[in-house]
Amino acid sequence: MQGLDDTLESGLVEKVRAGNRTAFGRLVEPHLPRLLGLARRMLGSSEEAEDALQTALASTWVARAKLDPAKPIAAYLTTVTLNKCRDRLRRRKVSQFLGIGSFDPEIPIASDEPGTETHVADRQLLHEVSRAIERLPVRLREALVLVAVEGRSHREVSQLLGVTEKTVEMRVYRARQRLREKNSDMFEA
């Protein structure tokens, strides 16, 4: 685990359950960068990711009595964050279907002022890959992001998503296959 040992974490969870806001901050702080990155990759927007993470943390605080000191908080926070991202994606889909609003936010990528043509080409490729990942179905996207981008094991992802390891493996395989099929010209060098 990042930053906290199991004993310290379980003690913080107990304090959080009792309503200690400072303990909550100490408990979640080491996980914030990873959770924000996950939300950004799921939603494709920094602003939406920050909102989703804020909502996830608020939900965690409200449901703090359900926290189990014997279980790692990282998996719980990841699950809540993924659920908030799914909620936003569902709302986005409904809004797009009804023609309400525009959901084409710019993805912040590396540097705003690349120095060479290579940097420009790399940025364009990264932008295209990010857009291609956003077009994947949610279940394939979340498996791909958790395994390929965050580097989590199939076992860990299966526990987070509540599916078998084989299901995670198939989702990652199908996500990569779809990316290759629909974007083969993008990956040719």
Side-chain angles (χ1 to χ4, degrees), residues 12 26 28-29 152 163 165 167 182 189:
L12 286 173
R26 288 186 58 212
V28 301
E29 185 178 14
R152 294 177 179 267
V163 298
E165 288 183 52
T167 300
K182 294 186 178 188

Side-chain angles (χ1 to χ4, degrees), residues 33-71:
R34 181 185 54 77
L35 295 170
L36 185 58
L38 171 64
R40 277 188 190 125
R41 287 184 287 277
M42 287 299 298
L43 298 170
S45 162
S46 293
E47 292 162 5
E48 277 194 274
E50 289 171 6
D51 289 344
L53 181 55
Q54 190 71 22
T55 304
L57 293 174
S59 294
T60 302
W61 174 256
V62 169
R64 66 188 176 272
K66 295 179 182 177
L67 295 176
D68 183 353
K71 294 184 180 175

Side-chain angles (χ1 to χ4, degrees), residues 90-153:
R90 277 191 291 275
R91 281 193 298 267
R92 182 188 294 177
K93 192 176 248 183
V94 169
S95 294
Q96 287 174 335
F97 177 74
L98 297 175
I100 303 170
S102 172
F103 289 94
D104 188 21
E106 286 294 312
I107 297 176
I109 301 172
S111 170
D112 291 332
E113 299 179 30
T116 66
E117 290 180 21
T118 303
H119 286 111
V120 173
D122 288 348
R123 285 183 57 160
Q124 182 61 33
L125 180 60
L126 180 58
H127 182 73
E128 290 172 16
V129 170
S130 296
R131 289 290 184 215
I133 291 172
E134 285 178 35
R135 288 189 297 268
L136 289 171
V138 175
R139 298 211 183 276
L140 298 182
R141 183 183 333 159
E142 62 193 15
L144 180 69
V145 167
L146 289 168
V147 171
V149 178
E150 290 208 347
R152 294 177 179 267
S153 70

